[in-house]
Amino acid sequence: MTDAPPTPPEDTYSFLGPAGTFTEAALKQVPEAAGKHWRSVNNVGEALADVTSGRSIAAMIAIENSIEGGVSATQDALATVPGLRIVGEYLVPVNFVLVARPGTKLADVRIVNAHPVAYAQSRGWLERELPDHGHIPSSSNVQAASSLFEPDSNADAAVAPPGITEHLDVDVLARDIGDNPNAVTRFVLVSRSRVLAERTGADKTSLIVELPTDEPGALLAMLEQFSTRGVNLSLLESRPIGDALGRYRFVVDLDGHIADERVADALLGLRRTSPNVIFLGSYPRADRREVSYHSRYDDEIFIEARDWLRGLLSGEPD
């Protein structure tokens, strides 16, 4: 019997596994991934390495949570790993259950295994219902539950996704233990593709921008590139560059597509004033909400202004 041939990269999508994670739930929203091979990985770095090495055509990674904010590991990786583009975003409602090995009661729980983000989002419930509990960090929400069955496990229970019972023989000790019932995690599909998605009118553009200098007004100068062109920012977070204290890069999500005149003009302004602008992609918003802006920032206004200047330079009559 011969081994099966390896799955071609163009048929492979990477995601933070194992099966049952919120990341897998996000990947299920990608029509192009249906019926393809899904490769489970352990962390964001491994997922992006799959893409840059050509092992996978794309990787699904978490980038922002409505409670905790931006996922720093993802933001830092996108800033430092060249050649990556975001080609889509997906929203997954997040809630958790507390699970344990069969026969365990809530009163038996002393130590809880949980991914750090999941733990932060359910900490209020845990401290209220299990005030003396200890916490063991896990690499993923599903791993937190599966590790309960490891021989050297010290945990009595785990914080896990609601669908965990489809994959593991565990008892659910409590449901809806998330502290915020409206919690949502935003995921992005990352690839090496340079093909821009068609603009839809309900688009988002992601950037990473370094300030040119550490001096008063530097951040304001960056922000003015957007405000003077009517471009709204839906995300602005700072991350240390790492080469010296006080040096930061900014993760920016803005409303609009690079093909929109107001967005393109803002990017030109950024490029003139910043030593490093990383374009991560323009893609449809997950909520499909149409971007609104004042009519004075319509494409035609920018086009007419360029035509006016061109006429002046060429000596055309008024």
Side-chain angles (χ1 to χ4, degrees):
M1 181 176 179
T2 59
D3 294 335
T7 304
E10 63 270 17
D11 290 333
T12 301
Y13 289 78
S14 297
F15 73 102
L16 180 63
T21 61
F22 292 116
T23 313
E24 185 191 52
L27 189 53
K28 288 179 179 179
Q29 299 180 36
V30 181
E32 297 81 7
K36 302 296 180 65
H37 174 64
W38 293 7
R39 173 176 153 79
S40 171
V41 300
N42 297 313
N43 52 58
V44 170
E46 187 179 350
L48 296 183
D50 279 358
V51 176
T52 56
S53 68
R55 186 180 295 113
S56 298
I57 190 173
M60 184 68 75
I61 54 178
I63 196 170
E64 182 185 6
N65 182 269
S66 60
I67 308 301
E68 296 295 305
V71 179
S72 56
T74 297
Q75 294 175 339
D76 293 344
L78 291 174
T80 56
V81 179
L84 298 175
R85 289 284 174 84
I86 297 173
V87 295
E89 72 167 359
Y90 308 87
L91 304 179
V92 177
V94 175
N95 209 329
F96 303 97
V97 295
L98 186 70
V99 299
R101 292 177 290 269
T104 304
K105 304 299 182 185
L106 186 61
D108 301 328
V109 177
R110 297 291 181 269
I111 299 178
V112 175
N113 204 346
H115 185 277
V117 174
Y119 183 72
Q121 294 182 39
S122 56
R123 188 166 184 170
W125 186 95
L126 292 168
E127 291 183 344
R128 185 172 62 252
E129 302 297 329
L130 301 168
D132 299 322
H133 77 277
H135 170 224
I136 298 176
S138 181
S139 61
S140 78
N141 294 310
V142 173
Q143 177 61 28
S146 62
S147 66
L148 293 173
F149 298 94
E150 295 175 358
D152 58 349
S153 174
N154 294 317
D156 306 301
V159 177
I164 192 66
T165 53
E166 299 174 11
H167 305 279
L168 294 173
D169 180 21
V170 291
D171 287 349
V172 177
L173 305 184
R175 298 184 183 276
D176 299 325
I177 68 172
D179 297 329
N180 190 323
N182 299 315
V184 174
T185 295
R186 173 179 164 235
F187 293 85
V188 290
L189 189 66
V190 177
S191 81
R192 293 184 298 169
S193 174
R194 287 297 184 271
V195 178
L196 286 170
E198 294 291 332
R199 64 172 174 169
T200 66
D203 303 298
K204 181 179 291 185
T205 295
S206 294
L207 311 167
I208 294 177
V209 185
E210 291 182 16
L211 295 182
T213 56
D214 180 20
E215 62 183 20
L219 176 58
L220 177 60
M222 183 191 84
L223 296 177
E224 284 178 339
Q225 303 301 324
F226 303 108
S227 64
T228 57
R229 295 165 175 87
V231 177
N232 183 59
L233 304 186
S234 57
L235 175 71
L236 177 66
E237 290 197 356
S238 63
R239 293 293 304 156
I241 294 175
D243 56 358
L245 283 174
R247 292 257 296 142
Y248 290 89
R249 61 173 61 98
F250 287 85
V251 182
V252 179
D253 285 340
L254 57 88
D255 293 343
H257 192 283
I258 191 175
D260 298 331
E261 291 287 342
R262 67 189 186 281
V263 174
D265 207 53
L267 294 190
L268 288 175
L270 284 176
R271 181 65 178 176
R272 289 194 301 269
T273 59
S274 172
N276 190 19
V277 179
I278 301 174
F279 174 73
L280 292 176
S282 291
Y283 46 89
R285 296 171 56 102
D287 58 13
R288 300 300 188 265
R289 190 178 72 223
E290 187 171 352
V291 175
S292 61
Y293 55 92
H294 196 282
S295 59
R296 65 175 174 270
Y297 301 113
D298 285 342
D299 282 0
E300 291 74 16
I301 303 298
F302 289 88
I303 294 171
E304 191 279 332
R306 282 202 306 272
D307 288 344
W308 171 78
L309 179 60
R310 190 179 301 111
L312 295 178
L313 293 172
S314 63
E316 295 178 5
D318 295 338

